[in-house]
Amino acid sequence: MHSYWFGDVVEGRCILFIGDSNAIIDRVQSITPEMDSFIPLEWEQAVLCGACRDRIDYLGRLQEVCIAAAERSIREQYSRKDAELLQMVRTLDEIDTVINLLSERAAEWYVVRHPAFSRKYRRTPAHVLVKTMREKSKGALGKVAGEIEQLAATRTILAKEVSARANDVMPNTSALIGGLVAARLLSHAGGLLLLSRLPASAIQVLGARTALFSHLKTRSPCPKHGIIFQHRRVHNAPREVRGKVARVLAGKLAIAARIDYFRGVPAPEFLDGAQERIDVTGKRSEP
Amino acid sequence: MIWIGDVLVSQGQGGVYNERMLGGARVWDPHRSKLSALYHVGTGIELTPGMRVLYLGAANGTTVSHVADYVDVVYAVEFAPRPMQDLLEVSRRRRNVIPIMADAARPEQYAMLVETIDLLYQDVAQPEQASIALRNCSFLKTGGILILMLKTRSVDVRKEPAEVFQDTLDALTSAGLIVQECKWLAPYHHDHAAIVCTKPVV
């Protein structure tokens, strides 16, 4: 017997499949023929079957089923909890880039208007400088500075939302490394499923693409850490154990991501052990 | 293939991706489409009105729409949801594009939908490009054509493109395919090669 989307062909005879397009989609997705003994369908069989009148009708019906099936898969993929988080964290990182670029440019502009101004020997944080620029500048420059402040406010709100969403979507990974960094890992992997499939060694250098490929192509040293460097456990660790902390942390993150994908709830028994193991590694700095 | 001067075009409803129109025909830009690039740098395969095509890695349906202008039907396989949304829009306006959301590396997922085909066209960013093509050859009629757009950088960034190209060629010929034409797609696409094979009559 050979099964096709419109029916089953048994010894030259065809049995029409009865059902609406949803039933046909279920049928197509549930039956996977053996490719070795597979015989591609002949559209004429569909006519014999009574599934359609002619070739145009055949293609029309098939297209209808295929479009409906694709729409359903897209809906399913987008309704996963990580799909929106992915967009949120990418937007956040993009806003950061925009804020930095605009602030730099506005500062350059401001300096032209105030030749005596210099940032040297002043510990003015960027946002304070932007505020000064807004208050002291007339016209478009003041507006630009105002926009940067608005954007910064949006960024703060979005960052909180990303953290909260990450705690919900990936509770274990977030517990180990914080919601924001966890979300960035997710964004670089392309989704929770893809992150959970990555080996620990890949998670360790996720986001260090340039360094990794320059290592693979030439003899430059291999990167010790990518995004996970952003977590205090890695960047606060003493230099000599930083690589080690990154490796242990990545190992635990790989497990955490798998628990997140398959279980979706916090696993305290795993988290306690993992936290302790990472902390111990970070402290073992004295030889 | 339809050429107006040295511009490759296809006859069909325009406006798919704001493509330029020339004398009522859609200009098929070799910089955007690898298949068009092949027709510019090499011979390629004449697309005829009766052809049935399986297109792996359909992406946003840009090249698909041009192929569909020439042939009977295009079965367009794409895996990612984002480009699939665009491909669906193309299918809704073209009766001979059948969109299939599936993994080209697993032909059993869509075997129930696809008929025997005359042309297998593959443009996927995967490491296992040769084996994906070979697995999909079950749909290809004897004497049918395979056009493999080899993305050498997707196979292995550490290897030289020429080396990847040779390995792929060996894999295809040892599986019994007869190589007809090989062309690098420079200057239109870098590190991409087109391999045209026929499935021999056994």
Side-chain angles (χ1 to χ4, degrees), chain A residues 251-266:
Chain A
K252 293 300 177 190
L253 283 172
I255 301 170
R258 282 160 211 180
I259 300 176
D260 284 337
Y261 181 73
F262 289 104
R263 246 187 273 172
V265 287

Side-chain angles (χ1 to χ4, degrees), chain B residues 59-89:
Chain B
N60 300 65
T62 309
T63 306
V64 169
S65 68
H66 284 290
V67 176
D69 287 343
Y70 279 99
V71 301
D72 179 35
V73 61
V74 181
Y75 294 92
V77 178
E78 174 55 49
F79 188 51
R82 185 64 198 85
M84 194 66 192
Q85 285 176 304
D86 291 337
L87 182 61
L88 285 180
E89 205 48 49

Side-chain angles (χ1 to χ4, degrees), chain A residues 3-8 27-29 31-35 38 40-44 55-60 62-63 65-67 69-71 73-74 77-78 213 216-217, chain B residues 52 72-73 75 79-85 88 90-101 107-116 135 138-140 153 157-158:
Chain A
S3 300
Y4 303 115
W5 66 275
F6 53 84
D8 303 312
R27 171 185 163 79
V28 170
Q29 287 174 350
I31 307 176
T32 46
E34 281 291 321
M35 286 311 282
F38 175 74
L41 66 89
E42 308 273 339
W43 71 274
E44 291 88 347
R55 174 118 183 115
I56 291 174
D57 191 30
Y58 172 78
L59 288 180
L62 176 59
Q63 194 193 47
V65 169
C66 287
I67 289 181
E71 282 173 340
S73 327
I74 292 175
Q77 294 208 20
Y78 282 175
F213 283 114
L216 292 175
K217 279 185 175 168
Chain B
R52 293 164 192 177
D72 179 35
V73 61
Y75 294 92
F79 188 51
R82 185 64 198 85
M84 194 66 192
Q85 285 176 304
L88 285 180
V90 174
S91 322
R92 286 190 197 103
R93 287 157 192 265
R94 272 165 214 270
R95 305 178 66 172
N96 60 345
V97 176
I98 312 286
I100 298 173
M101 192 160 167
E108 64 276 9
Q109 283 185 345
Y110 51 87
M112 288 172 74
L113 303 165
V114 181
E115 57 191 325
T116 309
R135 257 177 268 171
S138 339
F139 297 111
L140 199 60
R153 292 298 180 191
V157 281
R158 284 170 293 177

Side-chain angles (χ1 to χ4, degrees), chain A residues 204-219:
Chain A
Q204 190 182 342
V205 293
L206 212 55
R209 188 190 283 161
T210 322
L212 179 65
F213 283 114
S214 96
H215 164 66
L216 292 175
K217 279 185 175 168
T218 64
R219 281 167 177 244

Side-chain angles (χ1 to χ4, degrees), chain A residues 87-99:
Chain A
Q87 297 302 330
M88 287 164 72
V89 68
R90 285 179 187 169
T91 309
L92 180 74
D93 288 345
E94 215 99 304
I95 291 182
D96 278 340
T97 317
V98 171
I99 290 178

